[in-house]
Each structure stands twice: as C-alpha cells, then as structure tokens.
Amino acid sequence: MMAYLDAWLDLKTVVWLFPVVFMFHDLEEIITVEGWGRRNRHKLNRLLSARLATNFEKILNMTTAQFAVAVTVILVFVSSSTFLAANEGSYLFFVTCITVAFLHVFTHAGQSLLLGAYTPGVVTAVTIVLPYSAYVYHRLFDSGLIGWQTVGLCVLLSLLAVPVVITALAAGRHMVPSGSGDRCTGKETGLVN
C-alpha cells in the first residue's frame, strides 16, 4: 500500500493535504463539541480533579461558533507550516505541526478510553489524522528530509502548541460572545419546530 501511495502522490501533494486532514478532523470537533460538552459535563466533573475540571469547564461551555473561531486561528498555523514546507522547503515548522497532530490523536483516544465513550474528534483522529501523520513521517524520512534528531526537536517544539491552543480558545470566546442567541438550535433554519 505504501509503495502505491508513494508512486501515486508526490511529496508536495502529501504536504498540501495537511490542511485538508486538519479540517476534516476539526469539522468533527466543531459539529459535536457543544452538544457533547452539555451532555457530558457532570460525568467529566466526577472523573477529573477539581483543578482539571475547572480548566475544562471553559471548553465545555464553548459554543459551536466560538470553537470554530479557535479552529480558524489554529488553521492559520497549519496552513503557514504547509506553505513553508511545500513552497520553501522549510520543514521544521511543518514537522512540529505534524507532531502536534500525531500526539493529539492519543489525547483523543485516551479521552475516549477514560470516559468509555465517544469524544469529539476521536473518529477522524484515529481514521484520518493517525494514518496521514504516520505517512508524512514515512515520506519525509524516506526522502531524507528529516531524521530522528529532527523529530525529537519537533516533539520539544510541540510544547509551544499549548499556549497557541489556549490563545485560540480565548480568541473564540472573546470574538463570539456567549449567550442564548449564539447557539444554533435548528430553529433558526426551520429544521426544528
């Protein structure tokens, strides 16, 4: 299978697929996060320590629109890293972002195992992000563009994603005020009576 993909897709195409993979994954999260958070808030509060529960409360209270703004902020980083890799041959930022995506798969899987249930993003994390990121590593290693030292550095640099995500979530909450008027209930579209 890898040999077939290697022959069919050039490296530039593989790199440019990153924003597409990111959006498929984050669309699953955007669509499900608000309702899931409402339904599972009490279960999470029982499972998590008081400090962790307080930190997650802000995410659980986010509306779909607020979360979409946060995803858009992160998409800027994903797209920038992709552009630099595909057009400039600069792979460090790209591999760092791929490493964040790869490690993020395991947070989704861990959350689902901890809760014993579906969590937003777990389906596309396991079925799309994991195989894509593994394939990107394969192609970059095979092309001689990265080695284990680069991956190790990118694992360390991936810690910088934490403040980026926190800032993106804060931007979503700041740019889209919360309140009863911004939640999509289906009534606005006529889908629900």
Side-chain angles (χ1 to χ4, degrees):
M1 173 93 172
M2 289 274 203
Y4 174 76
L5 284 175
D6 291 353
W8 188 59
L9 296 169
D10 66 4
L11 182 58
K12 195 171 192 174
T13 302
V14 172
V15 169
W16 274 114
L17 284 172
F18 186 32
V20 176
V21 167
F22 174 84
M23 284 311 303
F24 270 111
H25 170 64
D26 277 81
L27 280 173
E28 179 189 0
E29 290 181 322
I30 289 168
I31 291 167
T32 60
V33 73
E34 184 178 337
W36 184 90
R38 259 193 328 267
R39 288 187 307 276
N40 291 284
R41 177 175 286 111
H42 299 296
K43 187 175 187 178
L44 285 171
N45 285 334
R46 283 194 314 269
L47 287 172
L48 301 175
S49 69
R51 183 174 180 198
L52 280 175
T54 301
N55 290 335
F56 276 99
E57 190 66 28
K58 288 180 180 177
I59 296 171
L60 295 175
N61 284 329
M62 289 188 83
T63 65
T64 299
Q66 289 172 327
F67 195 78
V69 168
V71 166
T72 302
V73 171
I74 296 167
L75 179 60
V76 170
F77 286 87
V78 167
S79 299
S80 299
S81 76
T82 301
F83 176 83
L84 289 171
N87 294 343
E88 304 297 325
S90 177
Y91 286 91
L92 187 63
F93 185 27
F94 177 76
V95 176
T96 300
C97 289
I98 289 293
T99 301
V100 170
F102 179 76
L103 295 173
H104 188 59
V105 170
F106 299 97
T107 63
H108 279 292
Q111 291 166 354
S112 288
L113 289 173
L114 177 69
L115 294 173
Y118 169 84
T119 55
V122 71
V123 172
T124 52
V126 172
T127 62
I128 297 174
V129 177
L130 181 60
Y132 171 76
S133 56
Y135 183 67
V136 168
Y137 283 129
H138 157 74
R139 287 297 295 267
L140 293 175
F141 271 107
D142 199 47
S143 300
L145 293 168
I146 64 168
W148 286 110
Q149 187 174 8
T150 303
V151 173
L153 175 61
C154 290
V155 168
L156 291 175
L157 290 173
S158 69
L159 296 174
L160 296 174
V162 173
V164 170
V165 171
I166 290 169
T167 302
L169 293 169
R173 285 190 302 275
H174 177 73
M175 294 175 76
V176 180
S178 48
S180 59
D182 63 344
R183 295 184 189 270
C184 180
T185 60
K187 292 179 183 174
E188 302 87 348
T189 60
L191 297 173
V192 176
N193 293 327

